[in-house]
């Protein structure tokens, strides 16, 4: 069960990174968001979804 959860988080993180790189945000903001998602996979993903470039919060 833990392996499935880990794979789902990995897929979601890859999706988030792709969307971050495709966003219209500036280069530094993209780098910061990608690092946040890579360093804190679950928390970074949640923060990106609600506040990241192109996310719900702008």
């Amino acid at each position: 069960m833990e392996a499935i959860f880990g794979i789902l988080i990995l897929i979601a993180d890859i999706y988030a990174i792709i969307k971050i790189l495709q966003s219209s945000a500036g280069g530094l903001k993209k780098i910061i968001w990608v690092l946040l998602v890579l360093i804190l996979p679950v928390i970074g993903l949640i923060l990106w979804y609600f506040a990241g470039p192109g996310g719900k919060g702008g």
Side-chain angles (χ1 to χ4, degrees):
M1 187 67 177
E2 294 154 3
I4 293 172
F5 181 70
I7 291 170
L8 290 175
I9 293 296
L10 177 65
I11 292 169
D13 284 346
I14 291 170
Y15 173 79
I17 290 169
I18 290 170
K19 295 308 259 180
I20 290 167
L21 295 175
Q22 291 175 345
S23 75
S24 61
L28 183 59
K29 284 186 179 183
K30 287 182 184 183
I31 292 170
I32 292 171
W33 277 110
V34 168
L35 287 175
L36 185 65
V37 170
L38 288 174
I39 293 171
L40 303 169
V42 176
I43 296 170
L45 184 66
I46 293 168
L47 289 173
W48 165 77
Y49 182 76
F50 288 109
K56 303 285 184 209

